[in-house]
Amino acid sequence: MKIEKINWISEIAQEAEVFLTDGEYKCMAFCQPCNYDVGMSISTALHSFMTKNIMLSYSENCLLKQIDSERFPHKCTAIVKNVSSSLVSVGKFVIELDSIIPAGVNDGDIIDFECARIDLW
């Protein structure tokens, strides 16, 4: 993942909206403290905050979309990488969910979920 753009919410508090891309998918993440620069590569997992509505997907295509372009909530369709660690992926984005993936979902399955925010730590 690479940082395309940073919009500072508060430079004093080191809070920023960080716009990431893997070349195919894009994501806006909240970051605090933000010690990153535009153009930097990120190899760590992102983190979903207030994850809800986790369910098996009917789609075969991944999705990483802001629900409202001016806000943080996202709707995602992702491949489960590790059920026990609640790790999923969308393209090269790896996201750690803050909720347990429901029983009956296995590694390699595709799930849908929503979250209030995606964080970059």
Side-chain angles (χ1 to χ4, degrees):
M1 300 176 294
K2 184 176 175 180
I3 297 176
E4 283 189 314
K5 179 178 163 185
I6 297 174
N7 284 344
W8 288 100
I9 298 168
S10 170
E11 286 191 62
I12 294 169
Q14 296 180 308
E15 294 178 336
E17 299 169 337
V18 178
F19 295 82
L20 302 158
T21 185
D22 69 353
E24 182 177 358
Y25 297 96
K26 294 182 182 247
C27 171
M28 181 181 72
F30 175 77
C31 184
Q32 200 284 325
C34 185
N35 299 312
Y36 299 102
D37 294 311
V38 173
M40 286 181 77
S41 292
I42 306 297
S43 59
T44 60
L46 301 174
H47 303 270
S48 70
F49 177 68
M50 294 179 58
T51 308
K52 63 181 182 178
N53 299 329
I54 302 171
M55 65 188 87
L56 283 170
S57 181
Y58 291 107
S59 177
E60 295 180 10
N61 300 314
C62 289
L63 173 74
L64 185 55
K65 180 181 176 186
Q66 281 179 265
I67 294 172
D68 177 344
S69 64
E70 299 295 320
R71 307 210 177 183
F72 286 106
H74 281 73
K75 178 177 177 149
C76 302
T77 302
I79 299 167
V80 177
K81 300 304 268 180
N82 188 304
V83 171
S84 61
S85 299
S86 295
L87 287 176
V88 301
S89 68
V90 176
K92 293 180 183 171
F93 289 94
V94 175
I95 304 169
E96 182 179 356
L97 307 183
D98 66 349
S99 296
I100 296 171
I101 295 175
V105 176
N106 300 302
D107 292 354
D109 286 346
I110 299 175
I111 61 169
D112 294 323
F113 66 93
E114 294 177 6
C115 59
R117 190 175 77 208
I118 293 177
D119 291 338
L120 171 61
W121 294 346

